[in-house]
Amino acid sequence: MEDPHSCLRMPRCRGVDIEELSITQLQSHLDKKSFTSKELVQCYLKRIELVNPYVKAVIETNPDALKIAEELDVERRHSGMRSRIHGIPFLMKDNIATKDKMQTTAGCAALVGTRVPHDAAVVALLRAAGGVLLGKTNLSEWASMRASYYSEAYSSRGGQNRNPYNLAEHPGGSSSGPASALAANMCAFGIGTETDGSVMFPADRNAVVGIKPTVGLTSTLGVIPEAPSMDTIGTFGRSVEDATIILDIIADRSSIPKSQVEGAYESALAQRDIVKPYISWLANKDALQGAKFGLPSRRVWEAASNSIDYKSEYLALEKLIKQIESAGAEVISVDFPSAEEIISPDGWDWEYAAGETGSQLSEFEVVKVEFYRSLAIYLSTLENNKGRMLSLEDIVAYNIKHTDTEGGVPGTHPAWPTGQDNFDRCIESKDDGEAVYSKALKYIRQKSREEGIDAALMHEGSGLDGLLVPVQAEGGVACSVAAKAGYPMITIPVGVGDDGVPFGMGIIQTAWEENKLVKFGSAIEDLVRRRPRPTFLNFEADNYTYIGNPPKTTAELQDACL
């Protein structure tokens, strides 16, 4: 009898085991002619064919991928490589526009058949660098925007995306697809988007490195928007090096404010540092000698230390901190002065502000207004929009009309017990005054920047090299502070929790300091040594993986779905 897990064996590429190989290692094999880019694409497509029916990370593959790879092989022979990713296959979240034979839908059937006017800016950069787009990945539909209680990593187009370490668990959202596909070796790197946690959580839960850049460093032109003041495009790699190689390609250094380059640094050497390639900052554990990090205590590490569910994770992170100290770094306790004002004691909550949930000063007040307005602008640019999806109201109406598959009505689809209640609240926001929105935006920025991250980074008059934070054990609140601020963050794989799901250590910095994240992220990675490989526990799992605050009537709603 055939082993049901036989599909998990990684296809060899002309006899070469490519599982877990880095971008540099793959490029070395291409240079040595161990295999061609076309053959590499074929291997990854075969891997997707075998594993994706279980993980459901990929929504569709690119029908032109083999042709593109073949053309890049010819170009390599005749004129050499365009960049470090010449001929390297990657996957991208399905809310990033590609003007090709694939769809751009945010996982929603309502947008199937529409055509985008052009590639997203980052897609154009990756194509120009010689990357081979293998396909579009699954995500939490509409980037987790449509409901307050839902099955994480589910979309009507892609189904239930699962965690390759434990298929009964979710892979994190909303950029679940590129992270879980990369972890499962369906590609060499991945591209995702984040508003609040959507790169950090999936990276952390899939034992891959995620870099969430400063808002503005990577262009979001051509991305289905959620909140333009917070949206950013991030990179996933199986190492800091891989994630950084991609960041160098998609980063727009011209977006760095002139004052940051000229005014914030005293020496000419420091001025040059900010425009050096990020990959030049890669380091080993020796870089930790003399470094100084802060541990935000109130509402962050205190919450992690008190968590029963994440006790083993906390102990592992505590051990890593001691290793960092043994490597020569100083680690001190710090605080976000605004901690009690913007961080809920109950974990991640984008409606929490001014010390209470439901405040008109909250992040959600900003997001719902920006989403409603910016989505209409995006939809107006679409071609072949036969369904006339021109507003959020049109999307809501479509979901109601097709509620058996889209769950537009509460209680009609198990993935969305509350239907699309967040969409409804976004629509209601069109009647909110501009003053409410502006006040909330100013509030979350001030509390997360000057009274948050920037204050915590300053210690005795000098800046720290980063803030070390958990990503899951404290309820996901630390990365939410970075998201509100629009500041950069990286997460480094550390281990696997009691539930079989990976976890890591995050580092937060102030705006435009991605170089420090690369330097100290790679140094900590060198201490950890290597990421754990997927174990594919609960291989036949078919459950839904709910997150959010279940309403009192959830049981009745779910009963109605089954």
Side-chain angles (χ1 to χ4, degrees), residues 85 147 288 331 338 355 405 452 489 502 511 514 542:
I85 67 164
L288 295 171
V331 181
S338 62
T405 57
M489 184 172 176
E514 282 78 4
D542 63 355

Side-chain angles (χ1 to χ4, degrees), residues 239-261:
S239 65
V240 175
E241 178 181 305
D242 282 0
T244 303
I245 287 172
I246 309 310
L247 180 62
D248 267 326
I249 291 171
I250 66 174
D252 177 10
R253 299 302 185 89
S254 68
S255 65
I256 301 175
K258 188 176 181 181
S259 61
Q260 182 74 11
V261 179

Side-chain angles (χ1 to χ4, degrees), residues 27-357:
Q27 201 62 259
S28 175
H29 279 292
L30 290 169
D31 287 342
K32 292 185 296 185
K33 300 180 181 179
S34 303
F35 45 73
T36 64
S37 291
K38 182 179 179 181
E39 289 169 331
L40 182 59
V41 167
Q42 287 173 328
C43 288
Y44 278 125
L45 288 174
K46 185 63 178 179
R47 176 69 165 177
I48 292 170
E49 178 188 331
L50 293 171
V51 175
N52 198 59
Y54 301 93
V55 178
K56 295 186 178 176
V58 181
I59 284 184
E60 63 180 318
T61 54
N62 185 358
D64 292 328
L66 288 171
K67 179 186 176 196
I68 292 169
E70 190 170 24
E71 291 171 350
L72 288 167
D73 283 329
V74 172
E75 186 176 322
R76 179 189 294 269
R77 290 195 298 271
H78 291 152
S79 54
M81 292 165 46
R82 298 185 190 181
S83 78
R84 294 172 185 265
I85 67 164
H86 188 107
I88 301 296
F90 69 98
L91 288 165
M92 177 172 286
K93 190 176 180 182
D94 181 42
N95 63 343
I96 303 174
T98 57
K99 192 170 178 61
D100 50 22
K101 295 173 184 175
M102 294 185 290
Q103 306 285 325
T104 303
T105 67
C108 178
L111 296 186
V112 171
T114 61
R115 290 197 295 268
V116 297
H118 47 69
D119 277 342
V122 295
V123 176
L125 290 170
L126 290 165
R127 290 196 205 272
V132 181
L133 179 56
L134 273 182
K136 297 294 232 3
T137 70
N138 208 350
L139 70 163
S140 302
E141 187 169 312
W142 288 106
S144 301
M145 191 64 210
R146 59 168 281 170
S148 61
Y149 184 68
Y150 59 97
S151 188
E152 182 76 296
Y154 183 94
S155 74
S156 61
R157 285 194 66 212
Q160 182 63 63
N161 187 187
R162 300 190 176 280
N163 192 305
Y165 290 81
N166 182 351
L167 278 72
E169 300 287 342
H170 68 77
S174 65
S175 301
S176 58
S180 58
L182 177 63
N185 283 275
M186 298 187 208
C187 59
F189 67 90
I191 301 292
T193 66
E194 173 164 326
T195 305
D196 185 341
S198 291
V199 168
M200 292 296 94
F201 289 141
D204 207 60
R205 291 179 65 85
N206 288 278
V208 296
V209 173
I211 299 178
K212 194 266 300 192
T214 304
V215 171
L217 182 63
T218 52
S219 172
T220 55
L221 180 65
V223 175
I224 298 177
E226 184 161 321
S229 69
M230 296 171 63
D231 290 347
T232 188
I233 291 182
T235 64
F236 295 107
R238 282 189 287 268
S239 65
V240 175
E241 178 181 305
D242 282 0
T244 303
I245 287 172
I246 309 310
L247 180 62
D248 267 326
I249 291 171
I250 66 174
D252 177 10
R253 299 302 185 89
S254 68
S255 65
I256 301 175
K258 188 176 181 181
S259 61
Q260 182 74 11
V261 179
E262 296 180 352
Y265 295 90
E266 296 180 358
S267 70
L269 178 62
Q271 289 181 30
R272 289 197 298 271
D273 282 351
I274 201 167
V275 294
K276 283 167 53 179
Y278 292 118
I279 197 167
S280 68
W281 291 90
L282 290 171
N284 59 28
K285 60 186 177 183
D286 293 341
L288 295 171
Q289 182 69 43
K292 196 170 184 179
F293 302 104
L295 300 180
S297 179
R298 298 201 316 270
R299 296 285 170 94
V300 182
W301 282 103
E302 282 183 357
S305 68
N306 293 327
S307 172
I308 297 174
D309 292 340
Y310 291 96
K311 192 65 176 178
S312 64
E313 177 177 328
Y314 171 75
L315 293 174
L317 293 176
E318 191 177 46
K319 180 180 178 182
L320 176 58
I321 290 168
K322 291 178 181 177
Q323 288 180 270
I324 292 170
E325 290 176 317
S326 296
E330 182 181 357
V331 181
I332 62 174
S333 178
V334 298
D335 278 310
F336 298 130
S338 62
E340 286 81 4
E341 295 177 80
I342 62 171
I343 300 176
S344 169
D346 300 318
W348 189 95
D349 182 355
W350 64 354
E351 295 190 52
Y352 189 90
E356 63 178 1
T357 295

Side-chain angles (χ1 to χ4, degrees), residues 145 196 227 229-230 341-344 348-370 422 425 429 432 435-445 447-448 480 483-484:
M145 191 64 210
D196 185 341
S229 69
M230 296 171 63
E341 295 177 80
I342 62 171
I343 300 176
S344 169
W348 189 95
D349 182 355
W350 64 354
E351 295 190 52
Y352 189 90
E356 63 178 1
T357 295
S359 170
Q360 284 195 323
L361 294 172
S362 74
E363 172 189 342
F364 187 64
E365 291 295 320
V366 173
V367 173
K368 68 181 183 180
V369 170
E370 292 191 9
N422 274 356
R425 296 175 66 188
S429 75
D432 292 348
V436 175
Y437 161 76
S438 298
K439 189 175 181 180
L441 180 59
K442 181 179 179 180
Y443 178 87
I444 65 170
R445 283 180 169 175
K447 296 298 178 180
S448 61
S480 188
K484 290 176 177 65

Side-chain angles (χ1 to χ4, degrees), residues 240 281-284 492 517-526:
V240 175
W281 291 90
L282 290 171
N284 59 28
I492 311 301
L517 297 183
V518 171
K519 178 179 179 178
F520 294 110
S522 55
I524 292 173
E525 178 185 58
D526 188 39

